[in-house]
Amino acid sequence: MTSSCDQNSSQGSGNQASVTQTAVDASEVASTVETFRTALLEANGEALDSLTSDVLTYGHSGGLIEDKQTFISSMVTGKFKSTSLDFSEVSTVISGD
């Protein structure tokens, strides 16, 4: 019975709950992007592995394309090294469920 009352009392604020959830989701995305940026700078292979898809293809500005394992290896071994990364113009849009 409590569950039914809780559902009924929250029906009027459903739109507010969606906005709040979207803000939380966008915050989580921003946090994950920052974690990825840090992993790139620190050449942290374990973090890069957990943050990227197994079907990742990474395209470098010079045209080289690497799969996930080659990308991570290139970062960890120092083949490619980032001394700074600025993700200042990131835009996040949450859509769907």
Side-chain angles (χ1 to χ4, degrees), residues 6-87:
D6 289 344
Q7 280 184 317
N8 290 336
S9 65
S10 67
Q11 283 179 346
S13 63
N15 198 18
Q16 182 180 6
S18 288
V19 170
T20 302
Q21 185 60 49
T22 299
V24 169
D25 291 345
S27 176
E28 288 176 15
V29 170
S31 177
T32 301
V33 168
E34 178 57 22
T35 300
F36 179 70
R37 188 188 73 78
T38 301
L40 286 170
L41 287 171
E42 296 175 352
N44 182 332
E46 187 175 306
L48 291 170
D49 184 55
S50 71
L51 290 165
T52 55
S53 169
D54 288 340
V55 295
L56 170 80
T57 55
Y58 187 85
H60 293 269
S61 59
L64 177 66
I65 298 175
E66 297 177 315
D67 64 12
K68 177 180 181 171
Q69 292 307 90
T70 306
F71 161 73
I72 292 171
S73 177
S74 293
M75 295 299 157
V76 171
T77 63
K79 178 178 178 181
F80 295 105
K81 181 163 180 60
S82 298
T83 56
S84 68
L85 290 170
D86 180 22
F87 294 172

